Amino acid sequence: MHTIMSHEHIGKLLESDQFPAAVKGYLRTEYESLQSALHYDEEQPYSMETHGYNMAVLESKDGNENLLVGTRGLDLLNSTPEYVEVVELPDGVCMYRACLMPDNECFLLIYALRGALRLELEQWFAEQSECLAKEDFE
């Protein structure tokens, strides 16, 4: 799992080979949009956490992605998201984008490639985004 809260974190993600270019471009745009919306003042180092936001990108087949320990100890499979959607990117890439509010002071944005997660997480994302087809998980 990649946690993104600063320029350094997004830079490391963009340099990695773990995600397709379309995903990295989308995540960079998401990060920059939040930075702009939160009225970033360039005189001080920018941290999303200071503004109550966290971004987490789940890695393919990671065994611990349902326990987001680095982001307030949230158990994803037993949580109720604000929303989950499927984002269609270039080159036929689809990813889930979920927003959770674990408490009144934090928004957690979770991103995951569709079809790259363990079965129970894939089912959770599909059910929450209302994109579940019965034959998808038989």
Side-chain angles (χ1 to χ4, degrees):
M1 176 181 71
H2 289 274
T3 302
I4 303 171
M5 291 185 281
S6 68
H7 293 293
E8 181 182 338
H9 294 145
I10 194 71
K12 285 181 182 179
L13 180 105
L14 295 174
E15 292 173 3
S16 79
D17 294 332
Q18 291 182 294
F19 302 101
V23 170
K24 292 191 279 188
Y26 178 79
L27 292 171
R28 181 183 62 230
T29 300
E30 286 277 288
Y31 177 82
E32 290 171 352
S33 294
L34 280 171
Q35 181 180 3
S36 176
L38 297 171
H39 306 290
Y40 168 56
D41 176 9
E42 292 186 24
E43 294 178 16
Q44 298 186 16
Y46 175 70
S47 173
M48 292 180 62
E49 192 170 34
T50 303
H51 298 283
Y53 284 82
N54 290 306
M55 291 174 69
V57 185
L58 303 183
E59 299 175 56
S60 300
K61 309 292 190 235
D62 181 2
N64 295 317
E65 70 271 86
N66 64 311
L67 295 175
L68 301 173
V69 176
T71 52
R72 302 180 186 248
L74 181 67
D75 180 352
L76 185 58
L77 293 176
N78 292 310
S79 65
T80 303
E82 299 298 312
Y83 64 85
V84 177
E85 62 187 350
V86 176
V87 178
E88 294 182 22
L89 302 172
D91 301 325
V93 175
C94 291
M95 69 185 305
Y96 295 107
R97 180 179 188 265
C99 178
L100 289 89
M101 195 171 171
D103 57 43
N104 289 333
E105 298 176 9
C106 175
F107 282 100
L108 173 59
L109 300 170
I110 301 172
Y111 305 87
L113 279 172
R114 188 174 185 190
L117 302 171
R118 288 182 298 122
L119 181 61
E120 61 269 22
L121 276 172
E122 196 74 42
Q123 287 176 317
W124 183 87
F125 275 105
E127 289 169 358
Q128 298 299 320
S129 66
E130 299 180 353
C131 292
L132 181 64
K134 184 178 178 182
E135 60 273 5
D136 289 344
F137 297 104
E138 290 183 346

